[in-house]
Amino acid sequence: MKALPLFPITTVGSWPRSIELLRAQKLRRQGTLSEEEFERVADKAVLNVLRLQEEAGVDLVTDGEQRRDNFYSFVAAKLEGVRLMTLAEMLNLVEDTVSFERILRTLDVPSYSISNATCMGKVRRARPLAVEELRFVQKHTDKPVKVTLPGPYLLTRSMYLSSVSSKFYPTKEDLAEDVIQVLSDETRELIEQGAAFVQFDEPVLTELVFTQGQTRTFMCAALAARKDPAEELEFAVSLINRVVDAFRDSRVGIHICRGNWSKNEATLLRGSYHPLVNYLNKLDVRQLVLEYATERAGDILYFEDKELGLGVVNPRIERVESVEEIKCSIERALQLYPPEKLWLNPDCGFSSFSNRPVNSSDIALRKLRNLVVAAQSLRP
Ligand SMILES: [Zn+2]
């Protein structure tokens, strides 16, 4: 792999889907489009996203998660024992229907357009989660490739729906054992295949500290986390470390944000990473990919011995951050981090949920271009 420039630029993963791809995803869900036909449309979409990133000057590219319905539910098609359910279907099965419905309403989540992968049997990897996606991208670019995956804590909590999962796993801790196996096997194969960066998404960690045990996420069917957020965070850290432990020599990172399903910032969580610092310092990962373009994330904090993937543009607002503004954010981070530890990215994906893009492809591209210009002006 060619040496990376100073302040390497990546995206957090997802890119808005074309109308053609959204239609293909819908037809595939309905069972009226063959797998081959879907892949043909998706291949074209990935190539387009790849060209856009290359044109903008991104240093590590992704496939824009184009084949995925959302950033974590796609595992349903790859795992045994897991079924895709819309949130509307889940409403009938969760322990506390009233609360779940209230969460969906308060958070501005459309229950029919978002799906969840739910555990309904013993979980095993029937197919790799992202190895084929990686190979496809590698065939079409010379740039190093980043692969995004849902983290073990998010997957465990989102898949465990007591009324249907407990027959196979008495508790979510039991399910976690198989999730760790799945993600460890996947990470090993991705690294063997040459993935330059494997990023695990764990957006639910912020929910644990900002809501004081009052669950406010629709991503977790197992509504009841432990009463004590500290215990739950220790559990999350232990799951992540068990997955990443064997890959300390590779670039593995964790992305943590405060939600990315709505353009209404008021419905998203608010608060600094400060209550998470001790837990994040314990993670055996090389990089923390964090959001800092939104003022909801507070001041930039220092994390020991870690690279910071600094969020410098907000994917949810239409205004394109100026080059000057982005340079100021980078300079602020340089007061805490040595330049070689600083990476640059948007705060989150531009379409974590395929039916809920938070921006257009055009605006996303303009944001990336400014990010690249700002980085280039600060490189030696
Ligand atoms: Zn995010």
Side-chain angles (χ1 to χ4, degrees):
M1 193 171 90
K2 269 200 313 207
L4 290 166
L6 202 59
F7 312 126
I9 295 163
T10 71
T11 65
V12 174
S14 60
W15 195 266
R17 278 72 163 177
S18 66
I19 290 170
E20 190 190 9
L21 180 57
L22 287 174
R23 196 179 301 126
Q25 283 190 340
K26 187 170 157 201
L27 294 178
R28 184 174 62 159
R29 268 198 302 278
Q30 293 169 345
T32 53
L33 189 73
S34 71
E35 205 52 36
E36 294 71 41
E37 194 56 23
F38 175 79
E39 293 300 333
R40 195 188 58 78
V41 177
D43 285 354
K44 196 174 120 195
V46 172
L47 292 179
N48 180 49
V49 172
L50 209 47
R51 291 295 91 83
L52 293 177
Q53 291 172 87
E54 289 178 340
E55 186 195 310
V58 168
D59 299 300
L60 277 85
V61 293
T62 73
D63 78 340
E65 301 179 10
Q66 296 289 290
R67 296 171 209 278
R68 304 178 181 181
D69 166 59
N70 75 43
F71 71 104
Y72 65 105
S73 69
F74 74 96
V75 301
K78 319 270 187 172
L79 298 177
E80 273 173 38
V82 178
R83 216 196 86 194
L84 205 57
M85 265 186 199
T86 64
L87 298 182
E89 284 176 275
M90 282 173 64
L91 253 177
N92 302 317
L93 294 165
V94 293
E95 288 153 46
D96 184 348
T97 310
V98 177
S99 305
F100 194 63
E101 206 161 15
R102 195 182 51 234
I103 289 168
L104 298 184
R105 224 177 18 247
T106 327
L107 298 185
D108 183 27
V109 177
S111 58
Y112 284 93
S113 68
I114 288 183
S115 297
N116 186 67
T118 307
C119 165
M120 304 182 83
K122 277 280 178 194
V123 174
R124 249 180 300 272
R125 215 167 55 127
R127 291 162 54 191
L129 302 179
V131 174
E132 288 159 36
E133 297 173 7
L134 167 68
R135 283 206 198 107
F136 181 80
V137 177
Q138 285 171 325
K139 248 195 282 173
H140 294 95
T141 187
D142 295 331
K143 300 231 175 198
V145 183
K146 174 179 184 175
V147 177
T148 55
L149 289 173
Y153 180 69
L154 169 69
L155 263 196
T156 301
R157 251 189 89 190
S158 63
M159 292 203 304
Y160 196 79
L161 181 55
S162 180
S163 57
V164 291
S165 313
S166 60
K167 258 183 276 171
F168 309 94
Y169 300 99
T171 66
K172 75 176 193 293
E173 286 72 13
D174 299 311
L175 169 62
E177 294 302 313
D178 282 349
V179 168
I180 287 170
Q181 190 63 51
V182 164
L183 291 178
S184 303
D185 291 347
E186 184 71 23
T187 309
R188 181 167 301 105
E189 279 181 44
L190 287 169
I191 289 171
E192 279 168 7
Q193 290 296 321
F197 189 162
V198 178
Q199 171 190 293
F200 289 102
D201 297 328
E202 285 288 8
V204 188
L205 297 186
T206 48
E207 178 254 348
L208 288 171
V209 290
F210 299 144
T211 61
Q212 305 301 318
Q214 300 290 308
T215 298
R216 271 196 56 189
T217 178
F218 59 90
M219 284 182 268
C220 292
L223 282 177
R226 288 177 181 77
K227 292 273 181 296
D228 178 7
E231 256 180 56
E232 191 71 6
L233 282 163
E234 289 290 355
F235 172 59
V237 168
S238 74
L239 297 191
I240 295 168
N241 279 348
R242 284 179 60 198
V243 171
V244 305
D245 187 50
F247 313 108
R248 289 177 196 227
D249 294 337
S250 303
R251 181 163 281 107
V252 175
I254 299 279
H255 166 62
I256 302 163
C257 64
R258 291 157 185 73
N260 194 44
W261 61 87
S262 173
K263 292 176 86 152
N264 179 359
E265 293 264 325
T267 66
L268 303 173
L269 294 172
R270 164 179 294 276
S272 134
Y273 287 101
H274 193 262
L276 285 171
V277 169
N278 290 338
Y279 301 98
L280 300 188
N281 276 334
K282 279 190 231 174
L283 294 175
D284 297 323
V285 295
R286 200 176 293 184
Q287 186 171 137
L288 298 173
V289 182
L290 304 179
E291 56 178 357
Y292 275 120
T294 173
E295 48 86 32
R296 287 179 296 106
D299 290 335
I300 299 173
L301 302 177
Y302 180 71
F303 298 93
E304 288 158 25
D305 305 323
K306 302 260 193 290
E307 292 168 352
L308 174 65
L310 176 72
V312 283
V313 296
N314 184 338
R316 290 170 303 273
I317 58 170
E318 288 184 10
R319 185 178 69 80
V320 177
E321 290 83 352
S322 70
V323 171
E324 269 316 303
E325 210 176 319
I326 297 169
K327 275 170 73 177
C328 284
S329 307
I330 301 170
E331 275 156 2
R332 253 197 319 276
L334 284 171
Q335 292 170 6
L336 290 173
Y337 289 85
E340 64 278 9
K341 292 273 188 197
L342 210 54
W343 287 50
L344 305 172
N345 43 264
D347 271 4
C348 193
F350 287 98
S351 188
S352 304
F353 300 88
S354 64
N355 286 317
R356 296 277 279 182
V358 290
N359 240 318
S360 67
S361 181
D362 178 52
I363 293 177
L365 180 62
R366 284 164 55 204
K367 287 184 184 242
L368 284 188
R369 281 195 188 127
N370 278 6
L371 205 172
V372 170
V373 173
Q376 281 170 344
S377 73
L378 293 172
R379 284 171 184 161

